[in-house]
Amino acid sequence: MPAYEDSDFGVNAAPAAGTPATLAIPGGVEENGTENSIEVPATRTSMADPSPYMHQLSLSPSMRDRRGSRNSFGASLPIPRSKRQSRLSSVHYPDQKSGRPGMPPIQPTREILASQVQDLAGEKVKAAKDMAFIFDIDGVLVHGDRLIPEGQRALEILNGDNELGIKIPHIFVTNGSGKPETARCDQLSNILHVPISVDQFIQSHTPMRALADYYNTVLVVGGEGYKCREVAKEYGFKDIVVPNDIVAWDPTIAPYRVFTDEERATSNPRDFSKTRIEAIMVFSDSRDYATDMQIIMDLLRSENGLLHTMAKDPVSQRIPIYFSQGDMLCPTEHPYPRMSQGTFRIGLEAMYKALTGEDLERVVYGKPEMATYKYADEVLTSWMEQIHGEEVLPSHCYMIGDNPASDIIGGNMYGWNTCLVRTGVFQGGDNDENNPASFGVFKNVLEAVKTAIRKELGEDFNFEWSDERVNPVLGGDKSASAIE
């Protein structure tokens, strides 16, 4: 066998001084100390730069050079405006007398005591009704299924464990998704030990229910199992297709997918070469990037949503695609935030640009998109009617979040006071450089809530109900509180 010299491979046996650094090869030295590896200088190809392939509206992370919306189709997206059924106010004034002839006296109740306190504090009550909190959830109130204790105490205060015994309006706006709103609220109520109503809760795909009036057959992507199909049914979508239905029809469409008998049995295959899919709805994070990306790319490049076809014009024949949110990272129980739906979207944008030479027109819901904030106004106004019998929008709104690129930038653009907490994505200095919180940075959500309430209701405001006999949240059991 002929021997090879170093020169045969275009490298020098003894690199001269000033030679560029090379990648170290583990195990590249034999026992006698001589090298047995070939060193190749590390280079960076132009293909490693994704910016030429990304949609131009995805390249502005800072609010200083950001448009009002990243959506190619503008911020005027349809949002649900259905009237919600009103419930009894949290404070009501009974017209009956406190005495009953021949019967023991009626014991004080939370409603009676709270109404008496509020009658004597008209200005504070008015101010409490004119402020509201909008909470992000993951990284602010919980980490996955794990409670952030300060979150429970903050919600107890807003639910009435305060000197007025009054509910201070608050709603929840999360870029989380993948479950029906009822199931998610039940889960959060159990974690937080505080009741959360569907009527004060917005997931990233909640406003997308308005799209059910525009499309008949849609592809719904993301989430665990078939939960997103259930969500789409609740929203009123008529004909719902999921990736498993397509793989069951044609397994060759996803060559690397191992399709189990159980998955096939729960799928609804049909001839998708004759079924026109009118829109793509990414409801939640993909659980199978390879399969979902392949099917989405096939549909985006098809003739008006017919699989097994290839459009002659990738723009005029392209069906619309909607994403429920655009977060790049999401805090979980892992020590570092995990990639979220935003990275999935950018991957699709880069692939589409590389294959067609065209930017991918798309619509993004969730924070910080305008449609989500307009819908939040609708929900907050409706919630005010439910708890206080007044269908008005509070003037002083505080957005509390952990992600500067979604919670803070969105709240700032919408004119809310923004509070950044250090219990989630943000772990920086005094404030975020690109998207600074307008009201400040706080150690946790409880500090943010207390600071905002003191600003609106006075520095002397007491965050506990004074009459321990009838605590509006704890029923007199002080030990049940998250934070003493």
Side-chain angles (χ1 to χ4, degrees), residues 81-96:
R81 293 182 181 274
S82 58
K83 183 71 174 176
R84 296 170 183 239
Q85 183 178 0
S86 179
R87 300 182 301 186
L88 291 177
S89 167
S90 65
V91 178
H92 71 124
Y93 303 83
D95 54 8
Q96 65 202 50

Side-chain angles (χ1 to χ4, degrees), residues 152-213:
Q152 179 183 343
R153 180 61 193 139
L155 295 182
E156 289 173 353
I157 292 171
L158 299 182
N159 278 323
D161 188 11
N162 55 65
E163 70 174 52
L164 298 176
I166 192 172
K167 287 188 175 181
I168 298 175
H170 60 284
I171 63 173
F172 306 87
V173 181
T174 174
N175 274 358
S177 57
K179 293 181 179 180
E181 281 76 7
T182 302
R184 181 66 169 146
C185 286
D186 290 344
Q187 178 189 24
L188 287 171
S189 297
N190 290 331
I191 296 173
L192 293 166
H193 308 293
V194 174
I196 296 176
S197 169
V198 173
D199 294 334
Q200 60 181 150
F201 184 76
I202 304 173
Q203 293 189 100
S204 61
H205 50 55
T206 305
M208 294 174 71
R209 67 171 66 240
L211 298 173
D213 295 332

Side-chain angles (χ1 to χ4, degrees), residues 18-300:
T19 301
T22 56
L23 293 177
I25 309 297
V29 180
E30 294 182 349
E31 293 181 359
N32 59 8
T34 60
E35 295 185 359
N36 65 351
S37 61
I38 301 170
E39 294 185 349
V40 181
T43 61
R44 186 169 185 261
T45 172
S46 60
M47 291 297 291
D49 181 10
S51 58
Y53 300 99
M54 289 169 56
H55 194 292
Q56 58 179 339
L57 298 181
S58 291
L59 297 174
S60 299
S62 170
M63 65 181 299
R64 291 175 300 192
D65 54 359
R66 190 188 185 108
R67 302 186 184 189
S69 172
R70 290 175 297 165
N71 291 325
S72 309
F73 303 152
S76 300
L77 303 177
I79 60 174
R81 293 182 181 274
S82 58
K83 183 71 174 176
R84 296 170 183 239
Q85 183 178 0
S86 179
R87 300 182 301 186
L88 291 177
S89 167
S90 65
V91 178
H92 71 124
Y93 303 83
D95 54 8
Q96 65 202 50
K97 296 182 178 180
S98 60
R100 296 175 294 175
M103 300 291 290
I106 298 176
Q107 295 299 315
T109 65
R110 184 257 171 174
E111 289 82 3
I112 295 174
L113 293 175
S115 66
Q116 293 171 349
V117 170
Q118 292 165 29
D119 282 342
L120 300 176
E123 289 301 317
K124 280 191 177 181
V125 169
K126 182 179 178 181
K129 293 180 179 180
D130 199 35
M131 71 178 300
F133 290 91
I134 301 92
F135 291 101
D136 179 41
I137 294 177
D138 294 305
V140 176
L141 302 172
V142 300
H143 286 139
D145 291 333
R146 181 165 54 86
L147 167 70
I148 297 176
E150 293 83 4
Q152 179 183 343
R153 180 61 193 139
L155 295 182
E156 289 173 353
I157 292 171
L158 299 182
N159 278 323
D161 188 11
N162 55 65
E163 70 174 52
L164 298 176
I166 192 172
K167 287 188 175 181
I168 298 175
H170 60 284
I171 63 173
F172 306 87
V173 181
T174 174
N175 274 358
S177 57
K179 293 181 179 180
E181 281 76 7
T182 302
R184 181 66 169 146
C185 286
D186 290 344
Q187 178 189 24
L188 287 171
S189 297
N190 290 331
I191 296 173
L192 293 166
H193 308 293
V194 174
I196 296 176
S197 169
V198 173
D199 294 334
Q200 60 181 150
F201 184 76
I202 304 173
Q203 293 189 100
S204 61
H205 50 55
T206 305
M208 294 174 71
R209 67 171 66 240
L211 298 173
D213 295 332
Y214 293 82
Y215 303 106
N216 184 53
T217 302
V218 297
L219 175 71
V220 173
V221 178
E224 299 177 8
Y226 296 102
K227 291 180 180 178
C228 284
R229 194 206 292 268
E230 297 173 14
V231 173
K233 285 181 179 178
E234 287 191 7
Y235 288 178
F237 286 95
K238 305 171 189 68
D239 185 16
I240 304 157
V241 179
V242 297
N244 275 4
D245 299 336
I246 296 174
V247 177
W249 163 65
D250 179 9
T252 66
I253 205 166
Y256 309 117
R257 171 71 180 274
V258 178
F259 203 55
T260 66
D261 293 338
E262 181 181 358
E263 289 173 324
R264 190 177 303 278
T266 55
S267 301
N268 298 323
R270 71 182 93 162
D271 188 350
F272 288 102
S273 65
K274 298 178 181 178
T275 301
R276 189 177 303 280
I277 295 176
E278 299 174 11
I280 302 167
M281 311 279 176
V282 183
F283 267 30
S284 186
D285 290 340
S286 169
R287 266 55 175 183
D288 184 351
Y289 269 44
T291 299
D292 292 346
M293 283 185 164
Q294 183 67 70
I295 291 174
I296 290 174
M297 290 302 299
D298 285 352
L299 282 172
L300 291 174

